[in-house]
Amino acid sequence: MTAPTTAPLTGLRVLDLATLFAGPMAATLLGDFGAEVVKIEHPRKPDPSRGHGPSKDGAGLWWKMLGRNKRTMTLDLSKPGGRATLLRLAATTDVIIENFRPGTLEKWDLGWPELSAVNPRLVLARVTGFGQFGPYAHRPGFGTLAEAMSGFAAITGEPDAPPTLPPFGLADSIAGLTTAYAVMTALAARDRTGEGQVVDLALIEPILAALGPQPLWYDQLGHVQPRTGNRSPNNAPRGVYRTADGTWVAVSTSAQSVAERVMRLVGRPELIDEPWFASGADRARHADVLDEAVGGWIAARTRTDVMAAFEKAEAAVAPVQDVRDVMADPQYQALNTITTVDDPELGPLRMQNVLFRLSATPGAIRWAGRPHGADTDEVLTELGLSPDDVTALRAEGAL
């Protein structure tokens, strides 16, 4: 698929120096909407995401998604030639995204003073576990630690079970989305001031924001949110329920009107007249009664019948789907959420499409993740380096 020339970020140049997930994901999101992204990896130590998860014919499948819409080149920033080449690239770049530990770029004389000197309009996004300063700044940081530190794990799981970590990169994904937003915010400021700036983003912060008002509750009321499994302290019935054919559905009653429709549907309209049914929090305190009514009704019916009945009653329900269901789901198909990308290495690949639809300037997946260093010579030639220059960099070990 070819991105239209009207893609909104056409003309924006991005260097992706980051590894693994949060920083590279931000660069992917920018590339999806037309930015020219160059992924820079160490010549002998590629981005570890290439080896995460299953692979096919030696090609990492996660990388095929994370590396899409990026050209790839190698550069050892610790070598003099690598440093000089990065400064030349920075001079013509709008955004650099990096996730080295604080002080690493500075060790190579590639900190903000050096980078901004060659390009005052540059935006430097620095994504780390704990931020650029503070007592934890120099610790190695990963999304798992953010999921633990933020309070997410403490409220996830059953009340009598251990805290639960997500089985995927939740904190990294939230941080990746936030980094893309932060970069666009800094670019908007540049449009007014003409000057770039540094984005300091810590993995431990965006996931804390996503958890909602927990700090406010604690500050004002001393309230510490407990683990409640699939139940919510704010409404009921709410949770997952097993159907007669052994599948599961999720039910939500965040709106009072929906809660009333559910109780009429399952044959328990008298519960609506209970004084405690009038608010979500009060209903949550009677979740046992409501779960028994809803769960018993659902358990006697197949998922198809449950879905049809809830839809007819205009009550909120969704099937609990695994990836097989997602790939066949008619709503996802209508939205083209899973799209096909032709890849020279593996042929047609199906993966998530760009994150949202723009009516006039849509994004697109132009290509899937490319091999390590595939575009090194092309990028350097465009930068003005001669074949002899490239040969010299290779001899130095900078490429």
Side-chain angles (χ1 to χ4, degrees), residues 29 54 56 85 90 102 138 170 216 220 224 243 245 323 331 341 388:
L29 296 173
K56 181 181 178 184
T85 302
H138 291 279
L170 177 63
L216 182 59
Q220 295 297 302
V224 178
T243 64
D245 52 351
V323 67
Q331 183 62 31
V341 181
D388 288 344

Side-chain angles (χ1 to χ4, degrees), residues 237-243 249-253 257-267 290-291 293-299 301-319:
R238 189 260 197 186
V240 294
Y241 305 90
R242 192 178 182 91
T243 64
V249 296
V251 174
S252 177
T253 56
S257 59
V258 173
E260 294 175 5
R261 290 175 202 154
V262 171
M263 301 324 296
R264 293 191 187 99
L265 172 63
V266 303
L290 297 172
D291 278 346
V294 174
W297 186 90
I298 289 175
R301 291 161 175 82
T302 66
R303 184 165 78 175
T304 299
D305 290 343
V306 170
M307 295 294 298
F310 266 74
E311 185 169 350
K312 183 177 180 181
E314 297 185 359
V317 69

Side-chain angles (χ1 to χ4, degrees), residues 9-16 27 30-31 34-38 71 73 88-97 119 121-123 183 187 190 378-384:
L9 299 184
T10 296
L12 186 73
R13 303 192 69 186
V14 178
L15 296 183
D16 175 8
L30 299 174
E36 177 195 341
V37 181
V38 176
R71 292 195 290 172
M73 68 170 289
R88 289 185 65 167
L89 287 165
T92 63
T93 292
D94 297 288
V95 179
I96 293 178
I97 301 174
N119 184 356
R121 291 175 55 81
L122 181 69
V123 170
V183 164
L187 290 171
R190 189 184 74 174
E378 179 181 80
V379 172
L380 294 179
T381 299
E382 291 172 358
L383 192 62

Side-chain angles (χ1 to χ4, degrees), residues 152-165 225-232 238-240 248 288 291:
F152 172 85
I155 63 169
T156 304
E158 296 298 328
D160 57 351
T164 301
L165 295 166
Q225 184 173 334
R227 286 193 293 283
T228 56
N230 289 319
R231 287 181 173 178
S232 167
R238 189 260 197 186
V240 294
W248 297 82
D288 287 343
D291 278 346

Side-chain angles (χ1 to χ4, degrees), residues 1-10 30-35 69 354 361-367:
M1 185 182 295
T2 301
T5 56
T6 53
L9 299 184
T10 296
L30 299 174
D32 283 351
F33 286 90
N69 292 336
V354 300
T361 58
I365 303 173
R366 288 160 283 161
W367 61 82

Side-chain angles (χ1 to χ4, degrees), residues 18-308:
T19 57
L20 293 173
F21 306 115
M25 179 180 178
T28 301
L29 296 173
L30 299 174
D32 283 351
F33 286 90
E36 177 195 341
V37 181
V38 176
K39 171 75 174 182
I40 297 181
E41 298 171 86
H42 192 280
R44 292 160 294 281
K45 293 178 284 187
D47 186 334
S49 66
R50 290 180 178 273
H52 270 247
S55 62
K56 181 181 178 184
D57 298 339
L61 296 176
W62 200 334
W63 167 253
K64 286 296 179 183
M65 177 182 173
L66 191 64
R68 71 193 194 190
N69 292 336
K70 301 178 184 181
R71 292 195 290 172
T72 62
M73 68 170 289
T74 60
L75 203 59
D76 185 343
L77 304 182
S78 69
K79 303 287 187 183
R83 176 186 180 275
T85 302
L86 183 72
L87 289 173
R88 289 185 65 167
L89 287 165
T92 63
T93 292
D94 297 288
V95 179
I96 293 178
I97 301 174
E98 63 98 2
N99 70 338
F100 300 109
R101 285 199 217 178
T104 302
L105 282 183
E106 287 75 8
K107 178 179 67 176
W108 298 327
D109 292 326
L110 287 170
W112 178 240
E114 291 82 9
L115 292 171
S116 61
V118 299
N119 184 356
R121 291 175 55 81
L122 181 69
V123 170
L124 174 63
R126 314 194 75 169
V127 185
T128 57
F130 305 104
Q132 294 295 310
F133 56 91
Y136 303 163
H138 291 279
R139 292 181 181 178
F142 298 98
T144 298
L145 308 187
E147 289 145 11
M149 279 186 62
S150 63
F152 172 85
I155 63 169
T156 304
E158 296 298 328
D160 57 351
T164 301
L165 295 166
F168 67 102
L170 177 63
D172 277 286
S173 297
I174 298 173
L177 291 163
T178 307
T179 302
Y181 163 59
V183 164
M184 297 308 299
T185 302
L187 290 171
R190 189 184 74 174
D191 288 343
R192 294 197 310 274
T193 67
E195 295 182 353
Q197 59 184 300
V198 177
V199 173
D200 177 6
L201 190 136
L203 289 180
I204 59 174
E205 292 183 302
I207 188 171
L208 181 58
L211 287 171
Q214 288 191 49
L216 182 59
W217 288 342
Y218 180 74
D219 175 65
Q220 295 297 302
L221 301 172
H223 175 70
V224 178
Q225 184 173 334
R227 286 193 293 283
T228 56
N230 289 319
R231 287 181 173 178
S232 167
N234 303 311
N235 65 81
R238 189 260 197 186
V240 294
Y241 305 90
R242 192 178 182 91
T243 64
D245 52 351
T247 61
W248 297 82
V249 296
V251 174
S252 177
T253 56
S254 295
Q256 180 70 21
S257 59
V258 173
E260 294 175 5
R261 290 175 202 154
V262 171
M263 301 324 296
R264 293 191 187 99
L265 172 63
V266 303
R268 298 295 302 275
E270 76 279 4
L271 293 175
I272 299 172
D273 298 325
E274 293 285 350
W276 50 261
F277 199 87
S279 78
D282 284 339
R283 292 199 312 273
R285 284 188 276 272
H286 293 79
D288 287 343
V289 174
L290 297 172
D291 278 346
E292 182 180 2
V294 174
W297 186 90
I298 289 175
R301 291 161 175 82
T302 66
R303 184 165 78 175
T304 299
D305 290 343
V306 170
M307 295 294 298

